[in-house]
């Protein structure tokens, strides 16, 4: 052997000896000697005491999932027993977490490049106490040491494995107190099997909460992503291996829940979804979900099928933070997707379908956080919408059919009032902004008065609600309006601009046979400015103008009873008895000031008489002060000669005959000299686009009122309003 070969052999031998000695030292080393050092370093990093109270074991094994050289080098398998992390001093519980064991493997070669690579961290029987106080301090927020010099070391954690455990939560911010127990299943359950069971359970709950139609609605096409294609192909390869149960309270309501999860949560590999499933009951609200969580280390994404069911959508506010109206019992299902970020997240509830009372709903909604206020946007559509289901939106709750929210005080319209006094729930308007379009193909308001459709754009901005446009299809015609309610002022400020055109009389009253021969229509305008927190308060403070025009109609006590118009029913009985009366033209022009609606013009032209109505309707106290003055046309066997008074209230009107001298009978319809200007304004409501060539009765009547032609008006003082001049 040459000298060079001997030197090389010695060098190799020395290195082999050193390697053997190192292996022996590592194999025989008592790793527990490192516990004080590890405890101190981890405690310093976490900002609170950390301790390994049991043994620290290290075993060396080859990592089968490793590649290249890493697959040939043994990896240390580290197990720390009886591990505890303390809580900060302010917390009520001394310990934040306790683990029977903490187990993980470590790549030794990556340490050479200052990288701590841990494929999986296994938590053995964790026991965790989570707490947040009224000041916002949370035990899960760790105070990490501040260092201006970036560390050369990086952590690469692949996944977290779970075991049997217990979690307690006491959160003053959300008023939540929960105890969650996690137990392993006897055997893994395939993802698709849990999905099928959750769909069936959600359908049963929807039927129980909102009726059988709701159960059918939430079960339809629940296995697709809304485009008819299965959307859980990756998740189908996973399985559920742990079950959990929860008990406690949330926002003052009792909470209980149960569900299942996977066993390993991949923190960085989005192609490995973590399956989750839950059913929660909070008060009388039921929530079911099934789906996956991916990439949680970077606050990744949720993809869930989500069902809601309960007595009112308003009760979802403390749960999901989205302001929704009081509604009848409801049930919905849809697909919840989420992009989670530290400074704001985006949630989407897409392709949802459901029932609210007797109405169906479908559409897409997005909820974005991170701005000055969270914002709800989207599009909602209904094929059939019952107006009764919309009643709570305008403060007209039917307490017989609509349960009051759990946190709401009893609200009802006083027994002597007609207008709804239930206040709008504006306390939550400033909690979020909104930009949502809503349309309904058909709206049903009882059998006798169908409102055909609805189309609106709802905008909520800093507590100001805009409905622009707010469009209704009614009786073959259309109502175009805009509504603005500003809850930032006290009392609330509201404005309404409304235009009603071409409402066909025979379609407006489809069950009233005499109206079916009517060829006329109703047109109207309204411009009102008001303040108040209910329908009654707004009308009781309204300022503005209201115009209405009806031609070629018919009216009877039966019709007025059907419409619930007590005052008109009594007046018609006094004037004409029980017979049906043809109305050539009805025209009204009211001026409103502080809720007092004054008749600038109110006339009804019939074949027998021209009826002039003067006086006021006070919506602030719902009191009436009107005079009804008939002017008979020509000679009649029975002449309508006596003026009537209307007093009392909207609910209990007092209609009688004025005492004193009778008005002189006129010969024919005579224009009222004091209404020339209002008559001219009302002519604009006769839309030429709908004139068919036939004479429009209202046009003729109003033109006669405004023009100098015809007999000069004979002025007779009204018994109740002597300053007003009328004609007979």
């Amino acid at each position: 052997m040459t000298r060079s070969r001997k030197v090389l052999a010695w060098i190799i031998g020395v290195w082999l000896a050193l390697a053997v000695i190192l292996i022996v030292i590592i194999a025989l080393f008592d790793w527990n000697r490192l516990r004080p050092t590890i405890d101190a370093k981890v405690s310093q990093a976490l900002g609170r005491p950390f301790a390994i109270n049991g043994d620290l074991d290290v075993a060396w094994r080859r990592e089968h999932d490793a590649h290249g050289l890493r697959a040939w080098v043994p990896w240390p398998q580290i197990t720390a027993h009886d591990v505890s992390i303390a809580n900060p001093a302010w917390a009520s519980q001394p310990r934040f977490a306790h683990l029977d064991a903490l187990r993980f493997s470590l790549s030794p070669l990556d340490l050479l490049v200052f990288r701590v690579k841990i494929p999986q961290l296994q938590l053995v029987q964790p026991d965790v106490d989570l707490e947040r106080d009224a000041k916002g301090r949370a035990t899960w927020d760790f105070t990490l040491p501040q260092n201006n010099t970036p560390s050369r070391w990086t952590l690469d954690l692949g996944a977290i494995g779970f075991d049997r455990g217990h979690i307690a939560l006491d959160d003053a911010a959300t008023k939540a107190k929960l105890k969650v127990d996690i137990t392993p299943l006897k055997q893994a359950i395939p993802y698709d099997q849990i999905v099928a069971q959750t769909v069936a359970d959600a359908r049963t709950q929807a039927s129980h909460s909102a009726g059988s139609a709701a159960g059918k609605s939430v079960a339809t096409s629940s296995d697709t992503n809304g485009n008819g294609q299965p959307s859980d192909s990756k998740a189908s390869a996973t399985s559920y291996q742990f079950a959990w149960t929860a008990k406690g309270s949330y926002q003052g309501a009792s909470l209980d829940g149960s569900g299942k999860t996977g066993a390993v949560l991949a923190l960085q590999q989005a192609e490995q979804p973590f399956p989750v499933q839950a059913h929660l009951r909070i008060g009388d609200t039921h929530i079911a979900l099934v789906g996956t969580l991916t990439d949680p280390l970077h606050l990744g994404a949720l993809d869930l099928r989500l069902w809601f069911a309960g007595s009112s959508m308003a009760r979802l506010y403390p749960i999901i933070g989205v302001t929704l109206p009081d509604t009848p019992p409801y049930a919905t299902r849809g697909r919840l997707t989420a992009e989670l970020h530290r400074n704001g997240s985006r949630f989407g509830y897409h392709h949802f379908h459901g029932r609210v009372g007797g109405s169906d709903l479908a559409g897409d909604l997005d909820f974005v956080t991170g701005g000055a206020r969270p914002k709800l946007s989207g599009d909602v559509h209904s094929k059939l919408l019952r107006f009764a289901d919309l009643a709570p939106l305008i403060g007209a709750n039917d307490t017989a059919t609509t349960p009051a929210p759990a946190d709401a005080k009893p609200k009802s319209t006083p027994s002597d009032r007609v207008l709804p006094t239930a206040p709008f729930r504006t306390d939550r308007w400033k909690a979020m902004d909104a930009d949502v379009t809503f349309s309904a193909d058909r709206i049903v308001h009882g059998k006798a008065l169908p409102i055909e459709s609805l189309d609106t754009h709802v905008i909520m901005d800093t507590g100001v609600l805009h409905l622009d446009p707010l469009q209704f299809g009614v009786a073959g015609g259309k109502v175009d309006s805009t509504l603005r309610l500003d809850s930032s002022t006290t009392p609330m400020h509201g404005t309404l601009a409304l235009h009603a055109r071409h409402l066909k009389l025979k379609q407006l009253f489809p069950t009233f046979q005499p109206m079916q021969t009517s060829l006329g229509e109703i047109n109207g305008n309204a411009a009102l400015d008001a303040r108040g927190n209910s329908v009654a308060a707004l009308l009781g403070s309204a300022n503005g103008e209201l115009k209405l025009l009806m031609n070629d109609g018919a009216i009877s006590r039966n019709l007025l009873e059907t419409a619930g118009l007590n005052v008109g029913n009594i007046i018609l009985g006094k004037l004409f008895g029980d017979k049906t009366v043809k109305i050539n033209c009805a025209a009204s022009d009211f001026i409103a000031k502080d809720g007092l609606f004054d008749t600038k013009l109110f006339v009804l032209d019939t074949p027998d008489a021209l009826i002039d109505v003067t006086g006021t309707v006070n919506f602030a106290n719902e009191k009436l002060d009107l005079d009804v003055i008939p002017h008979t046309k020509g000679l009649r066997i029975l002449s309508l000669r006596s003026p009537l008074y209307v007093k009392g209230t909207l609910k209990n009107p007092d209609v009688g005959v004025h005492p004193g001298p009778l008005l002189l009978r006129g010969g024919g319809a005579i224009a009222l000299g004091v209404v020339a200007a209002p008559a001219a304004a009302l002519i604009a409501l006769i839309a030429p686009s709908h004139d068919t060539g036939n004479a429009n009765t209202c046009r003729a009547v109003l033109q006669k009122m405004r023009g100098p032609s015809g007999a000069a008006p004979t002025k007779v003082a009204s018994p109740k309003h002597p300053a007003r001049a009328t004609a007979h």
Side-chain angles (χ1 to χ4, degrees), residues 81-98:
H81 298 273
D82 192 5
V83 178
S84 64
I85 304 174
N87 259 329
W90 58 264
S92 60
Q93 300 296 325
R95 192 168 60 186
F96 170 73
H98 176 268

Side-chain angles (χ1 to χ4, degrees), residues 66-88:
H67 302 283
L69 185 58
R70 292 185 181 90
W72 293 95
V73 177
W75 288 33
Q77 309 288 321
I78 303 171
T79 303
H81 298 273
D82 192 5
V83 178
S84 64
I85 304 174
N87 259 329

